[in-house]
Amino acid sequence: MTGLPATTAPAKPETFDFDVLVIGSGPGGEGAAMQAAKHGKRVGMVEKYHQIGGNCTHRGTIPSKALRYAIFQMMEVNSNKLFAEHGLSAHLSFQKLRRTARAVIERQVQMRSTFYERNDVPVLKGTAKFIDQHTILVTEHDEGHKLVTAEHIVVATGSRPYRPAEVDFNHPRVFDSDTILDLAYDVRSATVYGAGVIGCEYASMFRNLDCKVNLVNTRDKLLEFLDEEIVDALSYHFRDRGMLIRHHETLDFVEPREDCVIVHLKSGKQLKTDILLYAAGRTGNTDDMNLEAVGITPDQRGNLKVNDHYQTAVPTIYAVGDVIGFPALASAAYSQGRHAASHLLGEDQLVGIGEIPTGIYTSPEISSIGKTERELTEAKVPYEVGHSQFKSLARAQITGQTTGMLKILFHRETLEILGIHCFGANASEIIHIGQAIMAQPAPNNTLLYFINTTFNYPTMAEAYRVAALNGFNRVA
């Protein structure tokens, strides 16, 4: 643990304004604040924006998923034969589709504001800067200053899109994942640089709007952390929809023009499209927090290093959510915040994190939990595979959403479920059935649950029984 500067005297315990001070009201900060408040602690929240909710509510998860759903609704109208027979179609501008997200954001802010009101958690509007390990200087929106002390501090400031200096993000045709939501005109073509989760999600959305899309990937495959069969299915589906994927490419420079933008790659390729969405990485929001005053040093991307209980190098200062890097999921951030709060409270039973499912909102969706085939093969675990193709399910045939599959990996001898991978409509919902069974103690976490359980018919949940029987037949 790094000591405080000699000139700074830490606040005495009896003079603390709060037991817990949280910086940032996104999912991680909210989870920490509510967990501590519910246990009778005096909790304060510092939020730099005028409204609570963090980047998740205002620039990330909520607006992008609301936009995706609006696009999906328009696609459904235009692909529905019944509507077509009656001459019905929908062609909405990007701006009009984006408006649906604003209503959702407003409802989210109103709802989350009540959490702080009901639990007597004051929200201090302004930016936070460390004075010492127990003292924060809050610079308020009216430029006023306020010193606040706390026994424990939780940093939940989130992250922002990484912006390399050589790319002109002030140009009206160059965007990142924050500014793309402010796109004020319709586009016919787009280059997405960066094929991570955010890049793939937006590439999906633009293709669903009938834009020509170049998806530039700096790696050899899309989303390499996923199971390879799922990655292959996503790549096939993207290409089948007309998307052009360019693997193992590196940006040379960007040439923005009045009517287009040209992306020059080091391979010599030149990609000319209406806009560029730069989506290659994110940076932790730790600038100007004066962390050096307490001996905490962010990494080169601004992320903070923490231990298993989300403590930084200073035990009384915790960090949760996107500011600590991977997995950078809203769902994980909330659980991390609750765990950090339960640890600083000294609880015997800490809030568990467990297996964290991935939810990737491409079109179709991807969700997974547990081990991949690659990981099991490298670990020399004797496993087998069970598949269920959505095209064979009655519910998928009824809805017309037949693209996709459910894949179960299980131990050949014990039948223990080791991993579940889903690709297709509502994958992020379907995965939770398997997650619940995987979390059960042995022998209740095996393939037999799905084989011996009656599922409603027709449902997408039936995919579990089909996949389980398919896998069981391989080892019976």
Side-chain angles (χ1 to χ4, degrees):
M1 171 179 169
T2 304
L4 296 168
T7 56
T8 302
K12 295 180 180 179
E14 61 270 18
T15 65
F16 290 148
D17 298 314
F18 298 103
D19 299 315
V20 182
L21 183 67
V22 183
I23 306 173
S25 66
E30 181 183 299
M34 295 304 110
Q35 181 73 12
K38 294 293 186 184
H39 285 74
K41 296 298 181 181
R42 296 172 301 142
V43 181
M45 170 64 70
V46 181
E47 173 52 59
K48 71 175 181 178
Y49 294 117
H50 290 281
Q51 294 181 312
I52 65 165
N55 196 64
C56 172
T57 298
H58 297 281
R59 285 289 175 183
T61 303
I62 298 302
S64 65
K65 303 315 175 276
L67 173 62
R68 174 185 181 269
Y69 185 67
I71 294 171
F72 173 74
Q73 286 180 306
M74 186 172 71
M75 286 177 60
E76 273 203 318
V77 170
N78 294 332
S79 61
N80 190 295
K81 292 181 180 179
L82 180 62
F83 291 164
E85 288 174 0
H86 290 80
L88 298 176
S89 62
H91 302 282
L92 303 177
S93 66
F94 188 90
Q95 304 97 296
K96 288 182 179 178
L97 291 165
R98 173 74 174 85
R99 279 180 204 156
T100 62
R102 296 195 186 108
V104 178
I105 291 170
E106 289 173 5
R107 289 196 295 272
Q108 285 282 310
V109 170
Q110 290 172 1
M111 177 187 71
R112 298 190 182 285
S113 295
T114 64
F115 298 164
Y116 295 91
E117 293 167 3
R118 289 202 311 264
N119 290 281
D120 296 321
V121 178
V123 179
L124 311 176
K125 302 292 181 65
T127 58
K129 180 177 290 187
F130 279 90
I131 301 302
D132 60 48
Q133 70 183 61
H134 294 291
T135 308
I136 294 292
L137 175 65
V138 179
T139 301
E140 298 167 320
H141 292 155
D142 60 1
E143 299 303 320
H145 299 282
K146 187 174 186 178
L147 281 175
V148 184
T149 60
E151 183 177 1
H152 295 95
I153 296 172
V154 180
V155 179
T157 49
S159 65
R160 64 184 184 277
Y162 171 65
R163 286 187 162 194
E166 62 271 18
V167 178
D168 180 12
F169 287 94
N170 292 319
H171 194 278
R173 291 189 177 273
V174 179
F175 299 87
D176 61 26
S177 59
D178 280 1
T179 59
I180 193 63
L181 293 165
D182 298 323
L183 179 64
Y185 52 89
D186 291 332
V187 298
R188 299 177 63 184
S189 60
T191 294
V192 179
Y193 184 83
V197 171
I198 293 173
C200 285
E201 289 181 347
Y202 273 104
S204 264
M205 283 189 261
F206 279 115
R207 188 66 199 112
N208 288 341
L209 288 170
D210 289 328
C211 292
K212 294 180 180 178
V213 177
N214 287 302
L215 179 58
V216 183
N217 185 19
T218 59
R219 301 177 182 271
D220 295 325
K221 283 190 173 186
L222 300 178
L223 307 175
E224 290 179 326
F225 60 91
L226 293 174
D227 187 85
E228 289 185 6
E229 190 171 2
I230 300 297
V231 172
D232 291 343
L234 179 66
S235 298
Y236 172 83
H237 185 75
F238 275 4
R239 290 192 172 101
D240 187 56
R241 291 273 295 122
M243 193 184 300
L244 188 57
I245 306 173
R246 302 177 185 273
H247 291 300
H248 206 65
E249 296 280 4
T250 306
L251 180 68
D252 190 6
F253 65 96
V254 176
E255 181 186 350
R257 296 182 178 180
E258 186 177 344
D259 61 342
C260 69
V261 59
I262 302 174
V263 176
H264 295 258
L265 303 176
K266 289 189 176 179
S267 64
K269 297 182 182 70
Q270 297 181 18
L271 311 179
K272 180 181 179 181
T273 50
D274 290 343
I275 62 168
L276 164 66
L277 170 58
Y278 189 95
R282 297 185 67 82
T283 300
N285 291 326
T286 52
D287 311 69
D288 304 320
M289 291 188 70
N290 197 33
L291 286 164
E292 59 271 19
V294 292
I296 297 175
T297 304
D299 66 16
Q300 60 182 1
R301 279 293 180 96
N303 296 328
L304 301 182
K305 185 177 181 181
V306 294
N307 63 16
D308 291 342
H309 300 302
Y310 304 100
Q311 290 173 295
T312 64
V314 181
T316 58
I317 299 175
Y318 294 71
V320 297
D322 285 15
V323 76
I324 67 172
F326 184 85
L329 297 169
S331 55
Y334 192 84
S335 296
Q336 291 167 358
R338 293 187 65 224
H339 180 102
S342 63
H343 183 264
L344 66 85
L345 290 168
E347 295 179 2
D348 293 331
Q349 295 294 323
L350 298 178
V351 173
I353 301 295
E355 289 275 7
I356 298 173
T358 59
I360 302 172
Y361 295 86
T362 46
S363 180
E365 289 178 19
I366 298 171
S367 195
S368 64
I369 188 168
K371 301 297 184 183
T372 64
E373 284 203 65
R374 180 177 57 253
E375 291 170 334
L376 293 173
T377 299
E378 290 174 354
K380 296 181 172 55
V381 175
Y383 74 93
E384 195 48 85
V385 186
H387 285 98
S388 174
Q389 300 294 330
F390 284 4
K391 64 184 179 182
S392 301
L393 300 178
R395 182 61 175 266
Q397 293 167 3
I398 291 169
T399 61
Q401 297 177 322
T402 55
T403 299
M405 66 173 176
L406 178 72
K407 174 178 181 178
I408 301 177
L409 306 180
F410 62 96
H411 197 286
R412 284 188 59 90
E413 296 164 6
T414 66
L415 303 184
E416 177 187 356
I417 298 171
L418 305 172
I420 301 173
H421 307 274
C422 190
F423 173 74
N426 300 312
S428 59
E429 300 279 359
I430 294 168
I431 200 73
H432 293 304
I433 300 172
Q435 178 187 22
I437 302 307
M438 282 183 66
Q440 301 306 307
N444 300 319
N445 58 350
T446 72
L447 210 62
L448 295 178
Y449 174 85
F450 298 119
I451 293 173
N452 298 324
T453 295
T454 300
F455 289 89
N456 282 331
Y457 178 84
T459 61
M460 295 306 294
E462 185 194 3
Y464 279 99
R465 180 179 58 81
V466 175
L469 288 169
N470 176 263
F472 189 72
N473 289 337
R474 299 179 192 274
V475 296

